Each structure stands twice: as structure tokens, then as C-alpha cells.
Amino acid sequence: MQAIVQTGSGGPEVLQLQTIPVPRPGRNQVLIRVYAAAVNPIDWKGRVEIMPGLRSVMTTARVPGVDVAGVIEQSGSGVSHLRPRAAVFAMIGRGGTAGLNGGYAEYVLAPAGNVIAKPRTLSFAQAAGLGMAAVTAARVVNQTNIGPGQRVLILGIAGGVGSSAAQIAKSRGAIVIGTATARHNAYLKSIGVDQVIDYSQVKFEEQVQNIDVVIDAVGGDNATRAIQTLKRGGTLISLAGTADAAVCAAAGVRCPSGRGGGPGKAAAFSEGELLEQVAALANAGKYTVQVDKTFALAQAGDAQEFNRDGHTEGKVIILIDAAKAMQR
Ligand SMILES: NC(=O)c1ccc[n+]([C@@H]2O[C@H](COP(=O)([O-])OP(=O)(O)OC[C@H]3O[C@@H](n4cnc5c(N)ncnc54)[C@H](OP(=O)(O)O)[C@@H]3O)[C@@H](O)[C@H]2O)c1
């Protein structure tokens, strides 16, 4: 099969289109014929060596990509509920970032529990964009127990995780406010965002107060600056940085870890259950995936660099079978 193999760390030139063997499904695994795969920041962070935890995977060749959509090609032993040719999307899991099993390929193995029927409202290209962004967002919204009438501030609301969290929070009846540049206004309005603050023009912390929950998908000093927007007793979760614990304590707000879900309710749901929750929202017409830009498999380096530039609206998608990827 054709796949993008990352041969080392460095620039996009380390991503090479190669022919490698089709993997065989083991117990509780499913082989998916991939029509489309998503780009996530973790893909290029694992290439340019800026994420210390990922250094070990850079010494061996790997196929990047954790999120795909396509059809079931073959199921391994122990898998009876997934029929061949069924339209699915999947998150292959972080384990998939090691070795030659990854989403930027014509075939990929996924754990059966993370393989979910494609929502009929989404094309394969859109469904490929659910995966990690949706799991991360659903986990945080569950963890913070966002409910009707609560005021939620999402930093980086136009990106993959931010726009996913926005839609899940809206489906729970929250008032959703977010930071993004004006370029994203029409999209954010279309998914029901109540207020957009253009962070390039104003300081968001001077624009909003009395927030119940902050979700930070930007990092840097955003998390610590956001503490002052929260009510006492409010919650801040940063997915891309760390809020200053002393400032959190002084303000009387909770700042649990956003990495890997943290304790409490988050652990109550598996990745597969979180994917099911979001798929149900999509089938109900309450969730969609904005495909900002698509790239051919051979252009995977360009796709990663486009996302790395930092201004993606929704998701960047790699089309492995361009015609099939556009079908619903
Ligand atoms: N902890 C976890 O489990 C986990 C999981 C997934 C992702 N993450 C992390 O979460 C972060 C977001 O991931 P993602 O997939 O959503 O990334 P993404 O889709 O690439 O995010 C791009 C978005 O960030 C916005 N942005 C950039 N700088 C901003 C700023 N200063 N203020 C507000 N918005 C800004 C851009 O909007 P403009 O065009 O308006 O600038 C763009 O829409 C990444 O750091 C990622 O590594 C963590």
C-alpha cells in the first residue's frame, strides 16, 4: 500500500510516500481502507521535535496520523459487530503514532472499540476530522459538566478542538464565547457560537467576566490570563499549557489538568464512547466538521505545515481516495 513514512525528525522532507505492507488485523483490531485522514498538531509536533514526550517515536520510521474515515476491509478475531464495507470513522489511538501503522495510508489498523459508524450527515472527509479533536473536546466538556445557561469561554474556538468543544457545549445549552480572528466569524456563527472576541484586536480578559468554564486550546500565557474571567468556583482546563496554580488558588477557581482527561468524570468514558457521543450529535444535526483545506497523500508535508501555521478553521484533511472521501 501507499503510505507516508516519517523517516526522522525535521522538516516536511522527512515525510516520504513509500510502498509498505498492508498490516494484518490482530485480535480486537479492524483493518480500515482509508478514504480520508485528519492532520492533528500532534502529527507535526512529533516531527519537529518540540514535544518532549514524543522524542522516542522519532528514532524509528513511522506513519503519522491518528484519525481516519473509510470502510471496513477486514476484522480480526473477537470482532463481530462490524461488517465488511461498512462506512466508519476511527481514532487509532496514540499507540498508532509508533511504528508503521498510521492514518496517512491506504490501510490502517484501529482498535475495534474506536471504530464507529460514520454519521450519515458527514462526508468521509468530514468524519475523518472527528477523532482526536472530538475525543479531547468531549472529554473536557464531560469533565467540566457543562450544563444549560452556563457561560463557557473557549480560547482558540475556530480550531479543531475549540470548534468541537463549542458544538458539544452548545448541544448542552451553554452560552459559548470564544477567541478567534474575524476571518472565522461566519463559520463560528454557523455553529451557534454566541460571541467571538478577536484576540488580535483586544485582550479577551478585558471583554468577558463571570465565566463558569474556560477551555484553553491555545496555550502560552492564555490559561493564566483567563483565570480573571472566571467566577469564583469556576473551572479552567488548558489543553495546550498550564495555568499558574497559585493564581488559580488565589482566584478560587479549579484548574485540573487537561492532559489525558484528568481524574473524575473524564475516566468514566472510553475513547470509543466519546466518539459515539459526538457521532450521535452529528446524526442529530447538532455537530458538523468544517474542512478548511484538503491535500493529496503525497502532499502530507504541506498539509502538516498548513496546520502548523496555526490558523486552521476546523480541520485539515488528507484525501487518500479523493472521490470516495467526498461521499456521505
Ligand atoms: N491535551 C490533549 O489531549 C490534546 C488533544 C488534542 C490537541 N491538543 C492541543 O490543543 C491545541 C489545539 O489543538 P487543535 O487541534 O484545535 O489545533 P488547530 O486546529 O491547529 O488550532 C488552530 C486554531 O488556533 C487558533 N489560534 C491560534 N492562536 C490563537 C490565539 N492566540 N488565540 C485564539 N485562537 C488562536 C487559530 O485561530 P486564528 O486563525 O483566528 O488565529 C486556529 O483556528 C494544540 O496545542 C494541541 O496540541 C491537546
Side-chain angles (χ1 to χ4, degrees):
M1 67 171 181
Q2 297 273 286
I4 293 293
V5 178
Q6 182 185 324
T7 55
S9 56
E13 69 282 352
V14 301
L15 299 177
Q16 294 169 4
L17 188 64
Q18 294 186 7
T19 302
I20 61 170
V22 176
R24 286 168 178 270
R27 184 163 176 78
N28 294 328
Q29 283 186 325
V30 173
L31 181 68
I32 297 172
R33 186 182 176 102
V34 181
Y35 293 164
V39 174
N40 284 292
I42 196 173
D43 302 349
W44 50 260
K45 287 182 181 181
R47 168 169 64 78
V48 298
E49 226 173 344
I50 60 171
M51 214 168 168
L54 285 179
R55 274 168 201 258
S56 58
V57 302
M58 283 168 240
T59 53
T60 51
R62 68 175 190 130
V63 176
V66 295
D67 300 333
V68 298
V71 293
I72 306 270
E73 184 74 16
Q74 195 188 347
S75 292
S77 62
V79 185
S80 55
H81 65 292
L82 296 165
R83 276 196 243 119
R85 314 313 299 166
V88 294
F89 72 99
M91 177 176 167
I92 68 169
R94 284 171 197 235
T97 59
L100 291 179
N101 186 54
Y104 296 14
E106 290 179 308
Y107 294 89
V108 72
L109 295 174
N114 280 10
V115 181
I116 312 293
K118 183 185 75 62
R120 57 188 172 276
T121 52
L122 302 182
S123 67
F124 287 93
Q126 289 175 300
L130 290 168
M132 178 178 267
V135 161
T136 304
R139 186 175 271 151
V140 171
V141 174
N142 284 321
Q143 187 179 352
T144 51
N145 209 12
I146 289 168
Q150 283 193 315
R151 286 162 56 80
V152 179
L153 173 63
I154 301 173
L155 307 176
I157 197 166
V161 174
S163 61
S164 179
Q167 294 177 84
I168 301 167
K170 283 305 296 179
S171 76
R172 288 170 163 237
I175 298 159
V176 175
I177 303 160
T179 59
T181 50
R183 176 174 95 80
H184 305 294
N185 279 350
Y187 164 57
L188 293 171
K189 194 174 171 201
S190 78
I191 58 169
V193 173
D194 296 284
Q195 183 185 348
V196 181
I197 301 168
D198 185 343
Y199 71 86
S200 70
Q201 302 297 317
V202 292
K203 288 186 173 173
F204 68 82
E205 64 271 36
E206 292 175 358
Q207 305 296 311
V208 279
Q209 293 294 315
N210 286 322
I211 297 293
D212 294 287
V213 175
V214 172
I215 298 171
D216 167 32
V218 176
D221 65 356
N222 274 259
T224 299
R225 284 167 52 204
I227 293 168
Q228 60 193 282
T229 70
L230 282 158
K231 289 178 181 164
R232 281 192 88 77
T235 304
L236 181 150
I237 294 195
S238 181
L239 299 163
T242 311
D244 186 309
V247 183
C248 290
V253 304
R254 294 173 55 241
C255 299
S257 167
R259 295 180 193 277
K265 280 191 177 292
F269 298 103
S270 66
E271 287 174 350
E273 287 168 333
L274 295 168
L275 293 171
E276 289 275 19
Q277 288 175 11
V278 179
L281 286 181
N283 276 320
K286 294 180 179 169
Y287 188 106
T288 191
V289 176
Q290 176 81 346
V291 176
D292 186 335
K293 200 166 162 63
T294 60
F295 293 83
L297 184 58
Q299 270 77 55
D302 294 339
Q304 288 193 353
E305 290 300 276
F306 179 87
N307 180 242
R308 190 179 161 206
D309 199 37
H311 302 294
T312 299
E313 181 173 283
K315 295 298 295 183
V316 175
I317 301 295
I318 295 173
L319 303 179
I320 288 94
D321 184 329
K324 296 236 172 70
M326 293 309 167
Q327 294 172 5
R328 284 196 179 168

